Amino acid sequence: MEYGKVLQHYLEESGLSQNKLAKLVGCSTSQISEYISGRSREPTLSRAKKIADALGAPLEEMLSMMFDE
């Protein structure tokens, strides 16, 4: 599964908006939108960890969803 789909899944589960997630992570809302749509490559490991933490999801679980199709 692509990172954007995994991110969208956890974003919906958390109930956070893209705007709120962006503020928690320290990036722009458009960057979060680009991750979700696939217009941007996957984030760096450090940013992926910040995103996972903000969503309350284990990074390992998110990565597992990407590679265990």
Side-chain angles (χ1 to χ4, degrees):
M1 183 181 300
E2 295 174 11
Y3 180 78
K5 291 180 182 180
V6 173
L7 177 54
Q8 182 66 44
H9 167 78
Y10 282 99
L11 193 58
E12 289 172 3
E13 271 196 0
S14 73
L16 292 175
S17 67
Q18 289 184 25
N19 186 46
K20 179 67 175 175
L21 177 61
K23 287 180 181 178
L24 290 171
V25 172
C27 69
S28 67
T29 304
S30 63
Q31 182 64 62
I32 298 295
S33 177
E34 288 177 7
Y35 289 145
I36 290 171
S37 69
R39 289 189 314 264
S40 180
R41 300 184 67 180
E42 291 87 10
T44 62
L45 185 57
S46 62
R47 178 159 292 164
K49 177 72 173 133
K50 286 181 183 179
I51 290 170
D53 289 347
L55 294 171
L59 179 59
E60 296 81 8
E61 187 176 298
M62 292 180 75
L63 294 173
S64 177
M65 286 181 72
M66 290 175 63
F67 297 105
D68 292 343
E69 291 188 76

